[in-house]
Amino acid sequence: MDELVSLAKRRGFIFQSSDIYGGLQGVYDYGPLGVELKNNLKAAWWRAMVYERDDVEGLDAAILTNPLTLKYSGHEATFTDPMVDCRNCKSRWRADHLEGSACPGCGSEDLTEPRPFNLMFKTQLGPVDDGSSFAYLRPETAQAIFTNFKNVMDATSPKLPFGIAQIGKAFRNEITPRNFIFRVREFEQMELEFFVRPGEDEQWHDTWVAERLKWWGQQGVNENNLELYHVPADELAHYSKATVDVMYRFPHGLEELEGIANRTDFDLGSHSKNQDDLNLHAAATPNKESNSRLAVQNLETKSWEVPFVIEPSAGVDRGVLAVMNEAYRVETLENGSERTVMAFKPHLAPIKVAILPLKRNHDGIVTKAKGLKRELQALGLGRILYEDTGNIGKGYRRHDEVGTPMCVTVDFQTIEEDDTVTVRDRDTMSQERIACADLAAYVRNRISEAEV
Ligand code: GAP
């Protein structure tokens, strides 16, 4: 973990937030390469969950959430972690994270009894701060998918089964944020709520567990580092009939990367009015404040059915940490020197291709290199970097360390002899001459081939 944290900062992937003021605990910022990696991971998820299917629609809902939403979802009452205070050093801890009965800060055993601590952040809405007008920062993106259920149904007329996908920020006032970007207070989720007929839910649950494992494999996560955890009944969230966690061997241990829950008809039912007519399976929160029925009408029987929900919910930040951990390696070369490589799958790499002119002051070489940069950039594969530091060897090393799959060097042979460039491969370090006329097709193949 220490090596990853240090590389992340040195190369501009991830920084402690508000660093110059001593930081803000449990909050991180993504730097020039981190934003690319994170965007690429989110784009891969969106492609798999929305574009490659015809039964899922996208959504981008607000973060500020009406308190009623989180009242009827059950979060106001139950979204808590058990907290203890150390009476000696005044620090606070999550009771279920303590190893033994002593305070991890000072070693004292003078701890309070555990009490529930609600993890939701509140913020004032409008100019009057009298406590009556506030919103929550959403603790999961899922609730806005449920409250928009009817809007999306009316707009797109889908048939069951169908899903609504969303990627966005979520906020939790974690008692003890830790392990770099693993447990933070501001993070992103990639969530799909997949609505199915009651009775077909268990089969769809199995299907989504298999789909999601396959997807993590496609992002370069070795299957030996993934394990499924069938959450026991006494650990289930209040809305869940069954949850399977995808666990990943993080540098600090085996922990949850994604949760795949069967939320039954709990959420849609709880947010609906006139629940008595809905034949709900789960114990929904009685609701007199909603003006809507989040249900599907059976056109033959005219009865209303509330779909069950299967929810694969993955953390973007945990995904970034897993992908970085998988990609990181230090190799000893034949001459005894070491090189650090981030062997990202090319579709995730922050920089797809670096174009390096052999001489930064040579007009012919520079013009050619800049032209190739423009041509490759126009392919829309992601960031193509023109970099004229003039030291090709150092450039290769730097790009190994940030995971650039290919470096293209423009030299005298390019402009004076045969219009070819050297393409150097990150993983094998081999170099081949490619005709400039073929370069775009070559790069496109290399990037998209690796994605499947
Ligand atoms: N809508 C369901 C839900 O939110 P969750 O298991 O509480 O379920 C889903 O969260 C995913 O969000 C987790 O698997 C994890 O990847 C990510 N996540 C949750 N809390 C997090 C935190 N404090 N920091 C980083 N990621 C977090």
Side-chain angles (χ1 to χ4, degrees):
M1 184 71 107
D2 289 346
E3 288 173 44
L4 273 185
V5 173
S6 142
L7 185 145
K9 174 157 192 206
R10 186 160 34 88
R11 290 300 187 194
F13 283 89
I14 300 161
F15 308 124
Q16 174 68 57
S17 195
S18 303
D19 209 2
I20 63 166
Y21 292 109
L24 187 61
Q25 223 202 346
V27 185
Y28 287 88
D29 297 336
Y30 286 76
L33 296 181
V35 62
E36 299 293 338
L37 174 61
K38 195 185 196 200
N39 282 344
N40 292 339
L41 189 67
K42 291 192 284 184
W45 187 91
W46 197 262
R47 235 173 1 247
M49 304 301 258
V50 183
Y51 295 163
E52 288 171 9
R53 310 181 62 94
D54 292 310
D55 55 2
V56 174
E57 301 290 340
L59 183 75
D60 181 17
I63 288 167
L64 294 176
T65 305
N66 187 324
L68 290 176
T69 299
L70 292 154
K71 171 180 167 186
Y72 289 103
S73 70
H75 283 80
E76 274 193 339
T78 61
F79 197 60
T80 58
D81 276 335
M83 179 176 71
V84 293
D85 287 280
C86 172
R87 292 196 186 90
N88 184 43
C89 71
K90 312 291 178 223
S91 58
R92 293 189 145 167
W93 305 96
R94 238 179 94 164
D96 55 336
H97 283 175
L98 292 183
E99 289 166 9
S101 54
C103 167
C106 70
S108 161
E109 297 209 348
D110 192 8
L111 303 178
T112 60
E113 283 301 306
R115 61 187 189 288
F117 173 76
N118 196 297
L119 299 180
M120 289 196 293
F121 282 101
K122 268 181 185 177
T123 190
Q124 173 199 336
L125 216 55
V128 183
D129 188 11
D130 62 0
S132 67
S133 180
F134 71 94
Y136 287 113
L137 304 191
R138 64 185 178 194
E140 59 171 6
T141 79
Q143 289 307 319
I145 296 184
F146 301 131
T147 53
N148 276 295
F149 177 80
K150 191 166 180 309
N151 291 335
V152 175
M153 286 276 293
D154 291 349
T156 65
S157 312
K159 302 253 174 322
L160 287 176
F162 74 93
I164 303 177
Q166 178 167 225
I167 300 177
K169 291 265 182 170
F171 299 81
R172 296 183 190 177
N173 197 3
E174 297 284 352
I175 299 167
T176 41
R178 58 181 169 180
N179 295 320
F180 194 31
I181 52 171
F182 176 81
R183 187 178 308 285
V184 283
R185 291 184 168 137
E186 171 173 346
F187 56 100
E188 275 189 274
Q189 293 183 315
M190 308 184 279
E191 298 201 297
L192 172 70
E193 306 302 320
F194 197 74
F195 303 101
V196 305
R197 279 202 183 80
E200 295 176 3
D201 51 311
E202 292 181 7
Q203 181 196 332
W204 273 108
H205 198 187
D206 293 345
T207 302
W208 276 112
V209 170
E211 283 290 315
R212 297 301 305 146
L213 277 178
K214 191 171 86 190
W215 186 83
W216 282 113
Q218 289 166 347
Q219 309 320 308
V221 178
N222 186 327
E223 62 180 327
N224 296 326
N225 289 332
L226 294 171
E227 263 180 40
L228 293 180
Y229 175 66
H230 293 259
V231 178
D234 61 347
E235 284 178 24
L236 288 174
H238 61 278
Y239 49 71
S240 173
K241 162 176 159 182
T243 297
V244 179
D245 285 343
V246 177
M247 309 289 281
Y248 173 71
R249 229 170 289 291
F250 285 99
H252 62 278
L254 185 70
E255 290 226 49
E256 178 184 336
L257 171 63
E258 167 161 358
I260 304 163
N262 181 344
R263 293 182 79 130
T264 70
D265 54 10
F266 175 81
D267 299 272
L268 292 182
S270 290
H271 289 305
S272 286
K273 65 175 180 181
N274 302 339
Q275 293 166 343
D276 293 347
D277 308 345
L278 288 179
N279 191 23
L280 292 173
H281 297 74
T285 317
N287 193 331
K288 292 209 182 328
E289 291 168 286
S290 165
N291 59 23
S292 196
R293 285 156 73 83
L294 306 182
V296 180
Q297 194 172 25
N298 182 322
L299 294 180
E300 280 159 27
T301 63
K302 301 283 179 231
S303 65
W304 288 88
E305 232 178 33
V306 179
F308 270 37
V309 178
I310 306 300
E311 175 197 63
S313 170
V316 177
D317 311 78
R318 288 186 189 182
V320 167
L321 184 56
V323 162
M324 288 185 75
N325 187 45
E326 289 288 321
Y328 180 76
R329 63 186 65 138
V330 180
E331 293 174 357
T332 306
L333 303 178
E334 273 172 16
N335 64 7
S337 66
E338 282 192 342
R339 74 163 187 152
T340 303
V341 190
M342 287 300 255
F344 293 123
K345 289 270 196 175
H347 72 280
L348 294 179
I351 299 167
K352 305 299 180 212
V353 181
I355 314 262
L356 313 172
L358 184 68
K359 291 255 178 272
R360 63 175 137 182
N361 302 324
H362 188 282
D363 282 352
I365 289 179
V366 166
T367 306
K368 182 73 190 176
K370 287 188 171 168
L372 289 175
K373 141 104 200 192
R374 276 196 300 277
E375 186 188 347
L376 296 186
Q377 191 62 65
L379 298 175
L381 297 169
R383 184 151 198 213
I384 312 291
L385 188 71
Y386 169 85
E387 194 176 75
D388 63 355
T389 54
N391 185 331
I392 303 297
K394 273 195 180 159
Y396 287 164
R397 287 298 162 84
R398 193 171 46 253
H399 282 286
D400 286 345
E401 207 179 359
V402 302
T404 308
M406 283 167 275
C407 288
V408 169
T409 303
V410 179
D411 55 17
F412 288 104
Q413 188 180 330
T414 316
I415 57 163
E416 288 172 1
E417 293 177 32
D418 56 8
D419 202 29
T420 64
V421 286
T422 301
V423 179
R424 189 261 191 186
D425 183 274
R426 173 195 70 198
D427 299 332
T428 62
M429 293 189 287
S430 64
Q431 303 185 13
E432 56 180 320
R433 296 293 299 193
I434 303 277
C436 290
D438 300 335
L439 187 63
Y442 177 89
V443 166
R444 193 201 300 275
N445 279 345
R446 284 285 313 279
I447 304 290
S448 49
E449 228 174 61
E451 197 172 323
V452 189

